[in-house]
Amino acid sequence: MAKVHVTTTINGEPMEFLCEPSDTMLDALRGPLALTGSKEGCASGDCGACSITIDDRLVCSCLMLAVESEGHDIRTIEGLAQGEKLHALQQKFLEMAALQCGICTSGMLVASDALLKKNPDPSEEEVRFWLAGNLCRCTGYDKIVRAVMETAAEMRAH
Amino acid sequence: MTELRYLAPDTLDEAVGAFAKAGSAARILAGGTDLLVQMRSGALKPGVIVDIKKIPEMTAIEQTADGGFRIGAAVSGMALAEHRNFGKVWPGVLEAVNLIGSKQVQGRASAGGNLCNGSPAGDSVPAMVAAGATVTVQGPDGRREMKVEDVPAGPGRTNLKPGEILVSFTLPPRPPGSSDAYLRMIPRTEMDIAVVGCGVSLTMNDGIVTSARVGLGAVAPTVLLVEDAAKALIGSKLDDAALAKAASACSAACRPIDDKRGTIAYRIKVAGVLLKRTAAIAAQRAQGK
């Protein structure tokens, strides 16, 4: 079967990979690209665990084809920390125990980061609506929402 | 397994040619938020996918000289929300588009896909119908215009001819005193399918409705344009009697199904209730309140 050659940018670095035309972006990330931070929960766009951004727009990587990344700017959870230094959201999620099993965490972080880039001062309601597409079976959401609110406040203060 | 071919043409003519040539094995890929789910579940096994997002016309949002809008069929809900002016002119259409799925889904999902899926419950469709939007479609026999309400043929089916592709939506210019709104009834606040969806577009002058359109979703095999409801509103000050008459017209237009989200009786009643609430919001906006 003819594989497709895809040239894209992932977390700021030029990347090339081969995929089947039917592979999703999530398949490519977790397969040939070996970026396993994006998780597969539902594979139908309901859980948000595979959230990434394409050209700064939040999407589920299970709902786009890998070939669609050709020529676009893809960001994944692997691009959130700067080297060994965690992103403020990652640090706050740790401090406030805004995670348990961890399956939803990378998607929650990518989605929260996309929100704070768009809106540095969201209300709690805005955070809850924004994260409605990210499911978590462990935390009851409250710790996550509080961690996002607190990170936003700290980032505004700096 | 048959091999899937992915095509991403740069021009509409190429897309139409490739789509028509591949026949029933072909599927159009806009946001893909429904197509990929159908492929994964095995409900669909397309032989050819035609990605239309590299065609500039399909992803453009353009305010026309007369003050109307032309929106490419593959424009995502998020892109529409980011447009500096669209939400001011058509707040109801924007809120309907931004009720489709989650933020992640809105990052990709398009009004074009929402319409072409032919779901009676698609959120953007009643708002587009209320807006009086038309669509441009292009196929092997050329271009034509259709009213949005004429596109769905039934659940999962459209009146597009074989080989035709939805290109763009055209929304008319807005006279002063115009606005719109969309409300839907769902069991939870996000990420669910409408039990009833209602779009209302109004123009008001001195507190009196001078023109109105009402679109109703999830209460019949296709989204409905409810002309009797609009007639009941036109000429009124949106007083209780006019609203009651319009609500009855909405309920009378319903031919819903019974399902786990709502019974027939419930959907019929809610259609009237939503008309009143949606009209009130549209009227407030139209009067700049």
Side-chain angles (χ1 to χ4, degrees):
Chain A
M1 255 187 236
K3 291 213 174 197
V4 186
H5 179 254
V6 179
T7 305
T8 183
T9 304
I10 300 183
N11 299 323
E13 287 189 37
M15 293 266 185
E16 293 176 51
F17 64 90
L18 293 174
C19 67
E20 300 290 344
S22 58
D23 283 351
T24 65
M25 192 65 212
L26 181 61
D27 295 332
L29 288 171
R30 295 184 58 83
L33 292 162
L35 294 169
T36 55
S38 303
K39 304 301 181 205
E40 179 170 302
C42 64
S44 56
D46 292 300
C47 80
C50 67
S51 294
I52 61 169
T53 62
I54 168 166
D55 302 334
D56 293 327
R57 292 214 178 97
L58 186 66
V59 304
C60 290
S61 57
C62 72
L63 289 187
M64 69 177 270
L65 295 175
V67 289
E68 291 182 88
S69 69
E70 173 79 35
H72 290 284
D73 178 33
I74 304 289
R75 303 266 161 179
T76 71
I77 183 65
E78 283 85 356
L80 205 59
Q82 299 211 309
E84 295 294 302
K85 191 175 167 2
L86 293 180
H87 185 279
L89 277 164
Q90 292 172 307
Q91 189 61 44
K92 193 58 70 183
F93 269 51
L94 280 175
E95 285 168 16
M96 296 181 68
L99 68 158
Q100 288 184 36
C101 84
I103 282 281
C104 77
T105 309
S106 49
M108 287 284 182
L109 287 165
V110 170
S112 303
D113 181 47
L115 168 63
L116 296 187
K117 278 185 178 140
K118 210 183 233 295
N119 180 1
D121 191 10
S123 66
E124 183 182 327
E125 192 180 3
E126 285 168 328
V127 172
R128 287 184 184 275
F129 269 91
W130 185 274
L131 295 179
N134 291 80
L135 301 186
C136 170
R137 293 181 54 165
C138 315
T139 70
Y141 302 102
D142 221 55
K143 292 173 175 178
I144 293 169
V145 172
R146 276 188 272 147
V148 174
M149 296 291 291
E150 195 136 323
T151 308
E154 280 184 16
M155 287 172 75
R156 288 196 305 276
H158 280 102
Chain B
M1 200 183 116
T2 53
E3 198 167 338
L4 173 71
R5 284 200 308 139
Y6 168 85
L7 305 172
D10 295 314
T11 70
L12 189 53
D13 286 341
E14 278 177 79
V16 166
F19 186 52
K21 193 175 155 211
S24 61
R27 283 293 178 280
I28 295 293
L29 173 62
T33 53
D34 280 296
L35 179 63
L36 265 69
V37 174
Q38 289 167 6
M39 282 166 60
R40 189 182 165 84
S41 72
L44 255 186
K45 284 197 173 72
V48 176
I49 281 181
V50 183
D51 184 351
I52 54 172
K53 289 190 293 297
K54 288 197 178 149
I55 303 165
E57 193 179 1
M58 294 285 197
T59 55
I61 307 170
E62 185 195 341
Q63 192 153 18
T64 51
D66 61 7
F69 278 88
R70 210 172 166 84
I71 301 162
V75 168
S76 71
M78 200 65 87
L80 204 55
E82 287 165 9
H83 191 275
R84 68 189 183 290
N85 219 8
F86 183 78
K88 291 177 194 156
V89 181
W90 290 104
V93 173
L94 184 62
E95 66 199 349
V97 171
N98 282 314
L99 281 169
I100 302 172
S102 60
K103 292 294 164 203
Q104 283 87 339
V105 169
Q106 289 151 26
R108 299 289 276 179
S110 63
N114 205 219
L115 179 58
C116 288
N117 270 323
S119 166
D123 278 304
S124 67
V125 186
M128 285 285 193
V129 167
T134 56
V135 294
T136 300
V137 301
Q138 187 164 325
D141 298 330
R143 274 194 177 218
R144 65 184 177 121
E145 308 286 319
M146 295 172 78
K147 294 173 185 165
V148 167
E149 57 268 30
D150 292 339
V151 175
R157 294 185 296 117
T158 71
N159 289 313
L160 267 56
K161 293 176 192 155
E164 279 187 330
I165 300 176
L166 187 77
V167 179
S168 61
F169 292 86
T170 302
L171 284 84
R174 298 296 263 159
S178 301
S179 198
D180 68 331
Y182 175 77
L183 285 179
R184 69 172 179 191
M185 173 67 208
I186 54 168
R188 59 175 297 212
T189 54
E190 282 282 88
M191 293 285 284
D192 206 348
I193 298 167
V195 176
V196 180
C198 179
V200 175
S201 176
L202 293 174
T203 301
M204 299 184 74
N205 190 358
D206 279 341
I208 294 172
V209 179
T210 56
S211 73
R213 283 176 67 94
V214 175
L216 212 50
V219 293
T222 64
V223 170
L224 304 173
L225 170 69
V226 191
E227 286 173 316
D228 286 345
K231 274 184 208 153
L233 298 176
I234 294 169
S236 82
K237 290 190 166 179
L238 291 176
D239 49 278
D240 290 348
L243 285 170
K245 205 173 161 193
S248 301
C250 281
S251 292
C254 295
R255 287 172 282 131
I257 54 166
D258 259 323
D259 74 358
K260 63 185 176 184
R261 290 195 167 74
T263 60
I264 290 171
Y266 181 71
R267 287 174 193 261
I268 288 173
K269 178 160 172 91
V270 169
V273 174
L274 274 194
L275 177 278
K276 292 182 189 175
R277 292 182 188 173
T278 315
I281 296 169
Q284 275 186 348
R285 289 174 178 167
Q287 296 172 103
K289 287 178 189 163

